Amino acid sequence: MIKNLTILGSTGSIGVQALDVARLLGFEIKALTSNVRIDILENQIREFRPSYAAVADPAKAEELKIKVADTDTEILPGREGVLECARLEADCVLNSLVGIAGLEPTAQAILAGSNIALANKETMVTGGDLINRLARENSVSILPVDSEHSAIFQSLQGCRDKKQIKKLILTASGGPFFGKTAQELENVTAEQALKHPNWSMGAKITIDSATMMNKGLEIIEAVRLFGIPEDRVEVLVHRQSIVHSLVEYNDNSVIAQLGVPDMRIPIQYALTYPDRFESPVKELDLAQAATLTFSKPDCETFRCMELCREALRRGGLYTASVNAANEKANELFRSGKIRFSQIAQAVEASLEYPAGADDYTLGDIIELDREIREKTEAMLK
Ligand code: MN3
């Protein structure tokens, strides 16, 4: 059981809920990092008294330094400050950064020998093979925080041989645009896309949920976390978000994890694995839920899932390409600069760019990410 913890991205949705869990279980906080929300970070510093805190924006870091001058917490500025926090020796580093910005901090934390509770799915999407190799070499565990992957991880407990797994089944809520046609989606706004039916999450992932790119990224994440080939990872639409994912074994027995949609369950399991502790999360009342529904996803309207599968089949860094195009297009859609359908177009176009080399470094991934972002922006202008 861990005693201390660093949280990268502590003022976001996952970070705040992780601190709820930390408060309850009495974990010591080594370091906290935030992008810009220093008012929240200040309160967190006063409550949890970490040794270090980093703010990615150097000007905001300076502002925070003055605010918390009366505490013992040292403020580290900029991206380098975030990386320094990732490198601190800790029992566990919970990475809840958004996007490829999480890749390098995950690598640094692994090199420092800390176990990883991974909420940043883009780490595995962009650099999964390399991250898995680093984790093996440094005897570090990567524990999933993403609710579907936590459900699969929980459903795999007791599985002694991966050969007995027939398939992984990721559930998907379908997002706010479930049931809509491509034509109906032409004129949807970012405001409409930001209304998720079941989960309260950050803006980037909520848009990813509306395009179902999120599920595409999660297929890639599942392949890399569990070492199961792409054609044995299925997606099942389940509107109620109560069955969080399932594993089908070779005897056709299906094991699933269920619970109310509250991220504190998967966060806590990643931090206490293999043990379980009481949780403030509501009990699941299946009689009240009454009906659980399941259906096949509409992969023609929501094309991003298939594009992510294509990236996986091509190998190399194609998964980093689709991720880069999506991050850029997602951002442009949120600021009202492009239409909803252009997100999938950008993801598709990124596959044109050669990225098949198998022998790559962290620097290659970051360079490719930059190039694809530039091309995506130029294409969408
Ligand atoms: Mn998820």
Side-chain angles (χ1 to χ4, degrees), residues 121 146-148 214-215 218:
K121 66 190 71 176
D146 206 347
S147 62
E148 296 80 357
N214 184 51
K215 213 47 59 178
E218 290 183 350

Side-chain angles (χ1 to χ4, degrees), residues 62-263:
E62 204 48 49
E63 222 179 290
L64 181 66
K65 203 176 212 169
I66 296 162
K67 281 181 195 264
V68 298
D70 60 314
T71 70
D72 294 330
T73 302
E74 188 177 332
I75 306 300
L76 306 169
R79 173 77 175 164
E80 188 45 47
V82 175
L83 292 173
E84 229 174 291
C85 287
R87 280 194 292 267
L88 286 174
E89 204 190 314
D91 293 338
C92 179
V93 173
L94 188 145
N95 184 346
S96 54
L97 297 172
V98 178
I100 194 176
L103 173 64
E104 236 183 322
T106 302
Q108 296 283 335
I110 292 173
L111 290 170
S114 302
N115 287 326
I116 309 290
L118 192 64
N120 174 259
K121 66 190 71 176
E122 292 88 347
T123 287
M124 296 316 273
V125 170
T126 59
D129 295 334
L130 193 134
I131 291 294
N132 280 331
R133 182 167 55 74
L134 282 182
R136 263 195 316 275
E137 287 169 2
N138 291 276
S139 309
V140 155
S141 305
I142 300 176
L143 297 155
V145 170
D146 206 347
S147 62
E148 296 80 357
H149 304 76
S150 174
I152 287 172
F153 183 58
Q154 295 184 54
S155 302
L156 285 171
Q157 298 306 310
C159 170
R160 285 153 33 127
D161 185 349
K162 232 162 50 178
K163 285 200 224 73
Q164 296 164 5
I165 302 167
K166 191 188 265 183
K167 56 185 154 180
L168 308 181
I169 305 167
L170 296 170
T171 53
S173 71
F177 300 146
F178 174 74
K180 292 221 185 304
T181 63
Q183 206 188 348
E184 287 168 330
L185 289 176
E186 252 329 287
N187 295 312
V188 294
T189 62
E191 200 191 332
Q192 291 169 310
L194 284 170
K195 286 190 187 123
H196 196 279
N198 303 341
W199 294 98
S200 147
M201 308 177 287
K204 191 262 179 186
I205 185 173
T206 306
I207 299 297
D208 284 347
S209 195
T211 57
M212 293 195 78
M213 181 69 184
N214 184 51
K215 213 47 59 178
L217 297 175
E218 290 183 350
I219 294 169
I220 304 170
E221 187 187 9
V223 166
R224 304 260 164 85
L225 280 173
F226 304 111
I228 299 293
E230 172 271 318
D231 58 356
R232 291 202 278 136
V233 180
E234 287 185 2
V235 173
L236 183 66
V237 173
H238 167 50
R239 296 291 287 159
Q240 297 81 15
S241 297
I242 284 176
V243 179
H244 297 303
S245 279
L246 318 87
V247 176
E248 184 172 321
Y249 287 90
N250 54 6
D251 60 355
N252 292 341
S253 182
V254 179
I255 311 265
Q257 185 256 340
L258 287 72
V260 297
D262 187 315
M263 287 306 294

